[in-house]
Amino acid sequence: MADELYKTLGVGKDASEDEIKKAYRKLARQYHPDRNPGDKAAEEKFKEISAAHDVLSDPAKRKEYDEASRFGGFGGFGGGQGAGGPFAGGGAQGGFGDLGDIFSGIFNRGGGRTQTQEVRGRDLETEVQLSFDQAVNGAQISVTVPKQERCPTCHGSGAEPGTTPTTCPRCEGRGVEASSQGFFSISQPCPQCGGSGQIIEHPCATCGGSGVTQQTKRYRVNIPAGVKDGSRIRLAGKGEAGPRGGPPGDLYVTTRVASSPVFKRLDDGNLEVTVPITIPEALRGGTIEVPVLHGTKKIKVAPGTKSGTIARLRGEGPPKPKGAGNGDIRYRLEIAIPAELSEEQSEAIEKFAEASNGSDPRAELLRKAGV
């Protein structure tokens, strides 16, 4: 079927790179062998998911896969191509060559694996909890990660010290086998060597031939100033070791930032603070003291300020990404209305009402409404 790999990840053919990545991560967590020890079905499913992601996450491979699928798919050629069609003469041979070669090229560029090809280790993800101050100012945080690390006994080769792996006799070191499906063939990992192209006759007693062992590593992560909740920090080469000496993957650290009782983080990276002001301050204006990230500063309140008015201190917010200066702090001014009035306050309000000469602020509104 032409959309087999998309179905494996549970996405449509028009899925974005982000949607493919999210679908893969969800399924990989569900079927990962570490979460399903001894479950062969889950292990096979995990391999299918990984193979599908390997193709669909690479724009070049995905383009080749989509184009090859359009000209025949996985179950024949469909569409009833006649004798004069592009595949006429020689089965799958024709203007587009052997479709098996196309699909083989997608899954296995360069004509097959060799003994020297290395398989990269898995990327890992973890989270760190940060206080609001740590996120704003930056910090150095320790993270502990359980991971597969290069075996200390065989140094990743998988072979007992003093011995070396030999070339797989079945695939002759290519790591793949071509299986016929309909009019063309598809390359699949060699069942004897598992796709490595090598056979380990004397496996390392420590790692059992895998070249990796389960270990726990601790890393120091430099948190840059100004990170948001959900920011991802990449630690290159700190993921899992590749099998049989392959290069390691990366470690991605996601930040989880606690909220502040004073400052609210806005989507644009600036901060907002709700500041109460008194009725006299709103009416007459004045200068008030407000909090900033490191201490306090003063801002002016204009006469006749309404609730919800925004004042701003530029450059007093958290650092912006990539050294682009600092953000701003916005102050939302809210008039504080007392729940109860003292006798003195009531008298003052009465005097204010008398001084207003009974003017009705709603008269113009009602006139426009035709009331």
Side-chain angles (χ1 to χ4, degrees), residues 17 26 63 81 115 181 197 202 231 246 256 272 327:
E17 290 184 20
K26 179 181 178 181
K63 181 180 179 182
Q81 289 284 356
Q115 286 178 280
Q181 295 194 14
H202 303 285
S231 297
R256 295 301 174 202
E272 184 174 282

Side-chain angles (χ1 to χ4, degrees), residues 13 17 22 69 102 136 140 154 158 171 182 199 207 221 232 235 239 276 287 306 333 347-348 361-362:
K13 293 190 69 174
E17 290 184 20
K22 288 180 180 177
S69 299
I102 296 176
V136 168
Q140 192 176 72
C154 67
C171 67
I199 296 294
C207 65
V221 184
R232 295 180 84 216
L235 275 64
T287 300
K306 299 178 176 63
L333 306 179
E347 291 176 359
R362 294 171 294 281

Side-chain angles (χ1 to χ4, degrees), residues 170-368:
R170 180 161 179 166
C171 67
E172 298 180 341
R174 293 188 302 273
V176 293
E177 273 193 338
S179 59
S180 177
Q181 295 194 14
F183 291 95
F184 54 92
S185 62
I186 295 179
S187 294
Q188 297 178 338
C190 172
Q192 185 167 347
C193 65
S196 69
Q198 298 177 328
I199 296 294
I200 298 178
E201 297 178 350
H202 303 285
C204 170
T206 302
C207 65
S210 67
V212 293
T213 58
Q214 193 69 20
Q215 300 178 31
T216 299
K217 293 289 185 178
R218 181 184 295 270
Y219 299 110
R220 302 288 291 181
V221 184
N222 291 319
I223 307 295
V227 296
K228 301 179 183 179
D229 184 72
S231 297
R232 295 180 84 216
I233 301 169
R234 173 174 169 262
L235 275 64
K238 301 303 182 183
E240 289 197 335
R244 299 185 184 177
D250 299 331
L251 173 63
Y252 290 91
V253 181
T254 302
T255 58
R256 295 301 174 202
V257 181
S259 59
S260 166
V262 175
F263 301 98
K264 177 184 176 183
R265 194 74 175 260
L266 302 177
D267 291 338
D268 60 6
N270 295 321
L271 300 179
E272 184 174 282
V273 182
T274 299
V275 180
I277 60 174
T278 65
I279 294 175
E281 286 171 337
L283 294 174
R284 296 181 302 202
T287 300
I288 62 173
E289 190 174 25
V290 293
V292 292
L293 290 174
H294 305 287
T296 62
K297 285 201 170 183
K298 292 184 177 182
I299 62 173
K300 290 183 177 181
V301 177
T305 293
K306 299 178 176 63
S307 274
T309 297
I310 299 295
R312 186 187 299 263
L313 282 178
R314 299 190 180 277
E316 291 293 338
K320 294 180 179 179
K322 300 179 181 179
N326 285 45
D328 304 334
I329 302 181
R330 299 177 7 158
Y331 297 94
R332 183 177 296 275
L333 306 179
E334 299 287 349
I335 299 173
I337 306 296
E340 296 182 359
L341 297 177
S342 66
E343 185 176 343
E344 185 179 1
Q345 288 172 330
S346 294
E347 291 176 359
I349 293 295
E350 288 295 334
K351 290 180 180 179
F352 178 78
E354 291 173 3
S356 300
N357 296 320
S359 61
D360 185 357
R362 294 171 294 281
E364 181 64 15
L365 174 65
L366 296 176
R367 184 189 67 77
K368 290 179 179 179

